[in-house]
Amino acid sequence: MLLMTKVFVAVDIGASSGRLMLAKLENNQLQLQEVHRFKNGFTYSQGHDRWNIDNLINEILIGLKKIKQAGYDQVTLGIDTWAVDYVLVDKKGNRLQDPVAYRDARTQGSIKKLTSQLSKEYIYKKTGIQFLDFNTLYQLYVEDKNLLARTDKIMMIPDYLGYILTGKAVTEVTNASTTQMLSLREGLFDDHLLEKVNVKSSQFPKLVEAGTILGQIKGSLVEQYNLPATEVITVATHDTASAVVGTPGLGQRWAYLSSGTWSLIGTELNVPENGKQAFEQNYTNEWGAYGTYRFLKNIMGLWIIQNIKHELDDRYSFAELAELAGQEVPFQQLINVNDERFQNPKNMIKELQAYCRETRQKVPQTPGELAMAVYANLALYYANELEVLDHILNYRIDTLNIVGGGSNVTLLNQLTATLSDVDVYAGPSKATAIGNIIVQMITKGEILNVYLGRQLIANSFPIKKFVPQKDQSTQVLKHYQRFIAEH
Ligand SMILES: Nc1ncnc2c1ncn2[C@@H]1O[C@H](COP(=O)(O)OP(=O)(O)OP(=O)(O)O)[C@@H](O)[C@H]1O
Ligand SMILES: C[C@H](O)[C@H](O)[C@@H](O)C(=O)CO
Ligand SMILES: [Mg+2]
């Protein structure tokens, strides 16, 4: 009897785009195929920036239908998305509103308000999670109280999508940790924090680890949309958690940089690091798959490039912008790319130019100058954070694995290697989807563990190495560190 090759489907939805990837294990290599891709983004409606969750559900169904049409009758599937955002569901299982996007202005100033009642030190000791004003904790703090009163369940975005497909509701821990309400010690939502935001722990579906089998897609959906028989597995549903699983982990003391809309730079720990230095540097201990912790820092990332591209009426592809940047001289201006003013400005190009004027620096004008300004300062920020990481962990990181769409930017990879003085391994760009697949394969017994999964990744996908170039950039880094300390 012909052994059926198991087919795995990753639904990976980031802030800027989503995709359904189909994977098979053949000749000890992971074969990956992008079956369906779609744009994602938020729009302003009913007083807030919101995600179009019905559109995401529809795109998933379209992608699954394509898989069935390609002849696959039986698959497993995992869903990962961005963090912190949630859907409010009433007792009948109906959505109370389209989810508010984390970049919405509603949480501005919320950290200050909430931490006047509960100290930052208390919250960080409890949760080990970075202070970002859009964390779920602050979103619930400012949430419509009438809506919360009608809420039976609060579901994180990927859990909600799994619920729509299967009718089963869970709260997967890697994403639950980004709420800044999960207690490191108890491994449960902290009642003291929930009380501050008028929420009860019973309003969250049960907590489950990555790799839990959720259930079959509802027969009614399979029939109505002509879908393959699909078993849904709750993977590491925070996309960054999946990206970390999908990182090849090359190098002795390696760190990762998940480079997409956000740049998430950090390392994988087996115990959380929520001490004084980590608190002062606002590092986070997001939960990872299989009992690990993602000790990392959020950096504004390629969100800035995405906005520049859009504001240039999408006349240039990302690759063309990177090429134009490569024709410019780096470090013409120093920019603290993590400045909150770049989180959701009305016009990113104008915001960048205003910043350079205010700091009396050369103002980037052309697409190449703008892109180089962003890439060069992202690389400087990464290099600075690697030094911070060395200091907190008290050991020297020797290798950086850059994954995600940003790993396609050769200029950025090379600048990062040189400024950080570490070897950079770039790729795979689809690490998030790959990590999603790896957890499914472990759950289904196709591979034993993440360590072997990472070996499979290293053997299956092109990974480029960048070594530090000896030049004068180390002085630039020192100058940059002084600059961002003052700005
Ligand atoms: N060929 C390329 N050349 C230059 N930049 C690229 C290229 N491909 C992707 N990128 C960069 O990668 C970014 C998208 O990365 P990625 O696909 O990992 O993000 P995403 O999954 O869509 O969103 P999120 O980061 O929220 O998960 C783009 O914004 C772009 O800046
Ligand atoms: C808001 C989160 O920090 C953000 O989603 C980031 O963690 C992420 O998931 C990037 O894709
Ligand atoms: Mg992504």
Side-chain angles (χ1 to χ4, degrees):
M1 187 227 292
L2 190 64
L3 263 185
M4 275 281 288
T5 313
K6 283 215 176 73
V7 175
F8 301 90
V9 176
V11 177
D12 167 30
I13 307 176
S16 63
S17 64
R19 75 257 327 143
L20 272 80
M21 307 293 289
L22 188 138
K24 287 185 276 186
L25 187 57
E26 279 171 358
N27 311 320
N28 196 29
Q29 284 218 314
L30 205 51
Q31 309 294 333
L32 195 67
Q33 179 197 347
E34 184 171 282
V35 175
H36 183 52
R37 185 179 182 88
F38 51 92
K39 279 202 169 310
N40 189 26
F42 51 78
T43 51
Y44 192 80
S45 80
Q46 293 170 294
H48 295 288
D49 289 328
R50 294 178 189 273
W51 302 104
N52 183 337
I53 201 91
D54 281 331
N55 181 54
L56 299 184
I57 294 164
N58 190 44
E59 293 292 357
I60 294 171
L61 295 172
I62 292 170
L64 277 171
K65 189 168 179 169
K66 287 182 180 177
I67 290 169
K68 169 82 176 190
Q69 286 165 346
Y72 299 100
D73 294 328
Q74 194 165 355
V75 302
T76 64
L77 173 139
I79 302 170
D80 69 77
T81 77
W82 66 97
V84 304
D85 290 343
Y86 55 84
V87 176
L88 302 176
V89 176
D90 69 14
K91 283 195 180 332
K92 292 194 185 115
N94 301 319
R95 189 171 72 235
L96 288 171
Q97 64 170 356
D98 260 350
V100 177
Y102 63 82
R103 289 187 199 271
D104 181 76
R106 68 176 181 168
T107 56
Q108 282 168 5
S110 57
I111 293 180
K112 195 159 180 289
K113 284 189 206 123
L114 195 146
T115 54
S116 63
Q117 302 163 32
L118 213 51
S119 76
K120 288 181 96 169
E121 289 76 2
Y122 170 87
I123 296 173
Y124 192 73
K125 208 70 200 147
K126 265 278 173 186
T127 67
I129 295 296
Q130 63 189 322
F131 289 87
L132 296 168
D133 62 5
F134 47 68
N135 286 345
T136 316
L137 177 64
Y138 312 108
Q139 293 197 45
L140 290 170
Y141 186 57
V142 300
E143 185 57 82
D144 178 320
K145 300 295 174 264
N146 296 327
L147 277 181
L148 276 184
R150 291 166 51 206
T151 296
D152 179 49
K153 288 288 180 270
I154 301 165
M155 295 186 199
M156 304 304 285
I157 297 285
D159 293 325
Y160 176 73
L161 295 171
Y163 165 72
I164 290 295
L165 293 178
T166 66
K168 306 272 179 51
V170 296
T171 307
E172 188 273 325
V173 296
T174 67
N175 210 18
S177 68
T178 70
T179 63
Q180 202 173 23
M181 302 188 301
L182 211 48
S183 156
L184 281 172
R185 184 184 299 276
E186 288 79 31
L188 298 168
F189 285 114
D190 179 72
D191 287 332
H192 201 174
L193 288 170
L194 295 186
E195 188 192 319
K196 281 290 167 214
V197 296
N198 303 307
V199 157
K200 298 182 291 297
S201 54
S202 60
Q203 285 180 288
F204 285 96
K206 68 173 177 173
L207 287 163
V208 298
E209 288 289 333
T212 302
I213 292 179
L214 184 62
Q216 293 290 329
I217 287 188
K218 288 183 269 193
S220 56
L221 286 176
V222 170
E223 215 171 293
Q224 186 182 350
Y225 293 94
N226 186 26
L227 306 180
T230 306
E231 181 180 47
V232 179
I233 292 170
T234 300
V235 293
T237 62
H238 179 199
D239 58 2
T240 308
S242 273
V244 172
V245 171
T247 298
L250 297 174
Q252 282 303 312
R253 287 183 169 147
W254 59 274
Y256 50 75
L257 170 64
S258 174
S259 179
T261 300
W262 287 87
S263 298
L264 295 313
I265 193 162
T267 189
E268 191 171 69
L269 299 179
N270 292 316
V271 287
E273 170 47 72
N274 60 337
K276 188 168 176 295
Q277 290 181 47
F279 168 68
E280 287 167 353
Q281 294 291 342
N282 204 26
Y283 264 74
T284 202
N285 294 272
E286 290 171 352
W287 295 26
Y290 309 111
T292 59
Y293 294 87
R294 295 176 282 131
F295 188 66
L296 62 84
K297 179 84 170 266
N298 269 53
I299 301 169
M300 207 61 77
L302 296 168
W303 156 256
I304 303 176
I305 291 284
Q306 289 165 12
N307 281 271
I308 291 171
K309 177 179 184 293
H310 187 60
E311 290 160 14
L312 294 170
D313 302 323
D314 295 311
R315 290 197 306 275
Y316 304 95
S317 70
F318 287 125
E320 286 163 340
L321 276 176
E323 205 180 312
L324 289 170
Q327 295 162 22
E328 302 298 332
V329 175
F331 317 126
Q332 296 301 295
Q333 50 285 110
L334 299 178
I335 299 169
N336 179 354
V337 286
N338 236 16
D339 190 310
E340 278 186 358
R341 66 194 287 178
F342 302 122
Q343 192 164 303
N344 198 14
K346 286 201 178 355
N347 184 295
M348 187 65 81
I349 292 176
K350 290 199 172 101
E351 200 65 40
L352 285 164
Q353 292 174 333
Y355 181 98
C356 293
R357 265 194 294 280
E358 290 159 23
T359 52
R360 311 162 82 81
Q361 303 182 85
K362 186 179 175 211
V363 177
Q365 300 290 353
T366 67
E369 289 172 349
L370 286 159
M372 173 53 100
V374 175
Y375 289 135
N377 283 282
L378 279 175
L380 282 163
Y381 207 96
Y382 301 157
N384 179 54
E385 285 307 327
L386 279 181
E387 281 195 9
V388 171
L389 212 43
D390 285 351
H391 191 62
I392 295 172
L393 299 175
N394 197 21
Y395 65 66
R396 174 94 168 85
I397 284 159
D398 59 18
T399 317
L400 182 64
N401 290 259
I402 300 180
V403 296
S407 67
N408 292 303
V409 190
T410 301
L411 165 73
L412 182 53
N413 297 334
Q414 185 56 65
L415 282 173
T416 303
T418 297
L419 288 163
S420 309
D421 192 22
V422 299
D423 288 346
V424 161
Y425 288 98
S429 63
K430 293 285 179 291
T432 304
I434 294 165
N436 176 322
I437 298 283
I438 293 291
V439 170
Q440 294 182 54
M441 292 175 77
I442 293 171
T443 304
K444 298 305 287 178
E446 284 299 298
I447 46 174
L448 197 57
N449 56 36
V450 175
Y451 177 75
L452 294 176
R454 285 173 172 152
Q455 285 189 341
L456 177 63
I457 292 165
N459 298 335
S460 305
F461 300 99
I463 294 165
K464 285 193 195 133
K465 184 176 183 180
F466 296 82
V467 295
Q469 286 168 353
K470 294 300 163 220
D471 62 19
Q472 76 289 355
S473 2
T474 35
Q475 288 84 347
V476 178
L477 178 57
K478 294 286 169 256
H479 185 31
Y480 185 73
Q481 288 165 330
R482 284 194 298 276
F483 177 85
I484 58 173
E486 291 150 20
H487 295 87

